[in-house]
Amino acid sequence: MARDVLVLGGGPAALCIAAALAGEGLAVALLAPDDPRAPWPNTYGIWGDEVDALGLGHLLEHRWSHTVSYFGAGDPDPEAAANRPTAHGRDYGLFDRAALQRHWLEACGRGGVELLQGLASGCDASGALSAVELADGRRLEVRLVVDATGHQPVLVKRPDRGPVAGQSAYGIIGRFSAPPVQADQFVLMDYRADHLSEAERAEPPTFLYAMDLGGGRFFVEETSLALAPPVPFELLQQRLHRRLAHRGVVVLEVEHEEFCLFPMNLPLPDLQQPVLGFGGAASMVHPASGYMVGALLRRAPAVAVAVAAAMADADAPSALLARAGWGALWPPALRSKHSLYQFGLGKLMGFSEAELRQFFASFFSLSGPQWYGFLANTLTVPELLAAMLRLFSLCPWAVRAGLLLPPRRP
């Protein structure tokens, strides 16, 4: 049987869209440079409400109801107001990576997705069929190519809008001399910086993302929200150990080290190009949070339905099929929201450590549906604008000035 779609990539985005397309009855092949069944190295988090709405709560390895952040300056006295947590009142979950991968692989298996190994080096999508050239000299012809190869895609083209800000993080799963967070606690952001000198606090801010994994194991990760160029891993590692030591915590055993770096403010791709993108290749990382898995799960079905409908016309060229997919992936409302989020991120990148703490303290004083919908990207455009205006009214004057003035850093 002739292939309808060739999906490039072997990570979460590639498996997600391949499974969705196959679920619409299309003949799909997946081309990856490595075995897509190999274990994934990184962790993936998601809000409980988000995963419950998708009916996939069973794919979580851990789930926390005790979810907090720290936006005070920090203080040697644990009871000081500067150490007071902000309670979020919403569950947060960590995917079981193997279960999530298996979920998509099994769906691919049910849909008859053909797993191929190789690396695409070029594509001619100018006619009724797209001809994909492989690095080993092979040539594959399909009706549509979907590039899900990540933030530096093989085929998808996007405009150059200048420096790209990266979210960088260094993390450890392991055992510690004392609990780095409270029992059964998840910490979304700990911006306390009393372990740093005054000069260091004037440098790009970083925060702790941490969780109790049970059984004496914890995950702690020092993170930079976004910066161009990104904060180096070496600095993040140094800050993490200093943060822990300041609270009397020493790393006893490292089970896993995590190095994360991904772009936060990529421009949208050219939505008229004859190759369809998905995942990082299609700039689907949420500029406000850095999250993407929830968006993959929510948006893949609509893209698959649109592509399958367009393929009902046996004579439809690749460019028309791709255009149908791009239209479903980035409709006008989502493009508008993407612009608003990028505008906001640009402002935050210029904030000092103190201003960021004040901003996030104000942000999480929004109503639960507003701040959650903002982070999950589930608000409508009017709802998002209302949340942004409400946030502006809640922020201190110094933060409002930062939101109105040009950013101090690129």
Side-chain angles (χ1 to χ4, degrees), residues 110-338:
R110 291 191 299 271
V113 174
E114 184 181 5
L115 301 182
L116 306 174
Q117 195 154 347
L119 185 65
S121 59
C123 176
D124 178 3
S126 58
L129 293 176
S130 294
V132 180
E133 301 289 342
L134 275 59
D136 60 9
R138 284 180 292 167
R139 179 183 171 93
L140 302 175
E141 288 192 340
V142 294
R143 296 190 66 191
L144 175 66
V145 177
V146 178
D147 187 343
T149 56
H151 310 297
Q152 296 179 311
V154 173
L155 299 176
V156 164
K157 295 178 174 58
R158 62 169 63 91
D160 183 356
R161 299 277 168 78
V164 174
Q167 180 170 118
S168 54
Y170 168 79
I172 295 171
I173 295 176
R175 298 181 183 275
F176 302 79
S177 62
V181 298
Q182 295 178 23
D184 301 319
Q185 185 184 59
F186 164 74
V187 178
L188 178 66
M189 291 176 165
D190 183 348
Y191 265 107
R192 290 176 292 181
D194 51 324
H195 58 293
L196 301 177
S197 68
E198 185 176 346
E200 288 171 322
R201 289 198 297 273
E203 295 173 359
T206 61
F207 63 90
L208 178 73
Y209 168 85
M211 57 202 74
D212 176 12
L213 299 176
R217 299 165 64 247
F218 296 86
F219 178 44
V220 293
E221 185 172 72
E222 193 76 17
T223 304
S224 162
L225 182 65
L227 201 67
V231 174
F233 290 128
E234 294 80 8
L235 178 58
L236 293 167
Q237 183 178 20
Q238 179 191 83
R239 283 198 174 186
L240 176 62
H241 285 282
R242 285 184 61 189
R243 182 188 294 275
L244 294 172
H246 186 71
R247 302 238 179 314
V249 179
V250 176
V251 180
L252 298 180
E253 177 188 340
V254 176
E255 180 182 314
H256 169 71
E257 278 187 301
E258 184 158 312
F259 299 85
C260 286
L261 176 60
F262 49 84
M264 289 282 283
N265 63 342
L266 283 174
L268 293 184
D270 172 9
L271 303 183
Q272 301 302 312
Q273 61 189 298
V275 171
L276 177 61
F278 195 72
S283 305
M284 288 177 65
V285 168
H286 189 1
S289 67
Y291 287 55
M292 186 171 67
V293 174
L296 299 180
L297 290 161
R298 285 193 303 273
R299 292 161 72 177
V303 173
V305 166
V307 168
M311 281 198 174
D313 178 359
D315 298 321
S318 294
L320 186 63
L321 301 176
R323 201 148 51 238
W326 283 121
L329 182 62
W330 284 111
L334 281 175
R335 298 202 300 270
S336 296
K337 290 200 292 179
H338 190 264

Side-chain angles (χ1 to χ4, degrees), residues 5 11 21 40 42-43 46 54 57 69-70 87 133 146 305 307 316 324 375 380 385 390-391 399 410:
V5 184
L21 290 163
W40 291 336
N42 293 329
T43 55
I46 192 168
L54 293 162
S69 289
Y70 294 87
E133 301 289 342
V146 178
V305 166
V307 168
L375 292 181
T380 64
L385 287 169
R390 175 61 177 157
L391 174 58
V399 175

Side-chain angles (χ1 to χ4, degrees), residues 71-77 80-83 191-194 246-247 353 357:
F71 301 123
D75 191 278
D77 178 5
N83 290 322
Y191 265 107
R192 290 176 292 181
D194 51 324
H246 186 71
R247 302 238 179 314
E353 169 256 326
R357 290 191 288 101

Side-chain angles (χ1 to χ4, degrees), residues 342-383:
Q342 289 214 332
F343 170 82
L345 179 64
K347 298 298 183 181
L348 295 191
M349 286 166 57
F351 278 10
S352 67
E353 169 256 326
E355 289 167 338
L356 268 183
R357 290 191 288 101
Q358 292 174 323
F359 172 85
F360 282 116
S362 301
F363 177 82
F364 283 104
S365 67
L366 290 170
S367 70
Q370 280 187 314
W371 71 250
Y372 163 74
F374 191 103
L375 292 181
N377 198 8
T378 54
L379 299 177
T380 64
V381 173
E383 288 170 341

